[in-house]
Amino acid sequence: MNKTRLEAFSDGVLAIIITIMVLEIKVPHGHEFADLKPLIPKFLSYILSFIYVGIYWNNHHYLLHSLSKVNAKILWANMHLLFWLSLIPVATGWMGEHKFAQASMTLYGAVLFLSAVAYFVLQRVIIMSEGKNSVLAKAIGNDLKGITSAVLYLIGILCSFSSEWFSGAAYLSVALLWLVPDKRIEKIFTSKK
């Protein structure tokens, strides 16, 4: 299998994830702006999750761009990542439906944390396949950004038991950390031209 097919499949799954999330936001029955008020928590959770899926899509693109070959380990590591990302709509819907209640914030953080772990696994499998001197290995380096994200997810999960606001702030912090695209791989590709 070539990496183009892997990218196309992954892009399709991520597009479906976004579609499922937006379909969770039902059209209000009324015709006044006030009828939109109950949708605010759902819309806010959708925005945060849309940003997360966009971040994964962007960085996944660069991750796969670094590949020279695809093997079975990479395919399964990629499926592992897509599995956890496919649970984002469930966690998002539950969180929005119940106005960021404690259990929903815990589940949301767990899905985000496990998605980050799966992304880390995919990175490591690619580096093992491509070699320690590969483009990706050089770009990732010590992966301080990835480690910081995992720590913030764990803080968010722990905070969800006492304060949904602090939990949400931790999840939002990770999104803001990654909102600016990760330039590590892009810089290496640019310097090779």
Side-chain angles (χ1 to χ4, degrees):
M1 176 185 290
N2 63 32
K3 67 180 180 181
T4 305
R5 188 165 177 220
L6 180 60
E7 279 181 300
F9 176 76
S10 300
D11 287 350
V13 171
L14 293 173
I16 291 168
I17 289 169
I18 289 173
T19 303
I20 291 169
M21 285 189 316
V22 78
L23 290 176
E24 285 294 316
I25 303 174
K26 305 295 183 210
V27 176
H29 294 293
H31 61 279
E32 302 291 329
F33 285 118
D35 297 318
L36 294 172
K37 189 176 180 183
L39 296 180
I40 292 172
K42 291 180 183 182
F43 188 66
L44 291 174
S45 65
Y46 170 76
I47 290 171
L48 182 60
S49 294
F50 185 92
I51 290 169
Y52 267 113
V53 173
I55 288 166
Y56 274 103
W57 175 76
N58 188 351
N59 289 308
H60 188 265
H61 165 74
Y62 284 117
L63 195 65
L64 295 185
H65 191 65
S66 72
L67 277 173
S68 63
K69 60 190 174 297
V70 177
N71 60 36
K73 288 180 182 177
I74 292 171
L75 290 175
W76 282 110
N78 192 66
M79 290 300 289
H80 178 233
L81 171 63
L82 294 176
F83 171 79
W84 290 110
L85 292 176
S86 72
L87 294 177
I88 289 177
V90 175
T92 302
W94 197 36
M95 187 171 66
E97 184 72 29
H98 297 285
K99 299 176 179 70
F100 307 96
Q102 180 262 319
S104 67
M105 294 297 281
T106 305
L107 176 67
Y108 190 72
V111 169
L112 292 177
F113 176 75
L114 292 167
S115 296
V117 168
Y119 189 84
F120 174 80
V121 168
L122 179 58
Q123 279 181 339
R124 294 296 146 210
V125 169
I126 290 173
I127 289 171
M128 285 176 13
S129 174
E130 297 287 316
K132 292 180 181 176
N133 293 321
S134 66
V135 171
L136 183 60
K138 290 176 186 173
I140 299 302
N142 63 8
D143 199 18
L144 184 60
K145 207 171 176 182
I147 293 167
T148 302
S149 300
V151 169
L152 284 170
Y153 288 141
L154 291 174
I155 290 170
I157 292 167
L158 293 173
C159 285
S160 70
F161 294 104
S162 58
S163 170
E164 292 87 357
W165 288 101
F166 286 129
S167 178
Y171 304 149
L172 182 60
S173 297
V174 177
L176 294 174
L177 178 69
W178 287 95
L179 196 57
V180 175
D182 192 356
K183 300 287 186 185
R184 296 176 292 183
I185 297 174
E186 188 175 6
K187 284 180 186 176
I188 288 179
F189 282 124
T190 305
S191 68
K192 286 189 162 200
K193 290 181 181 180

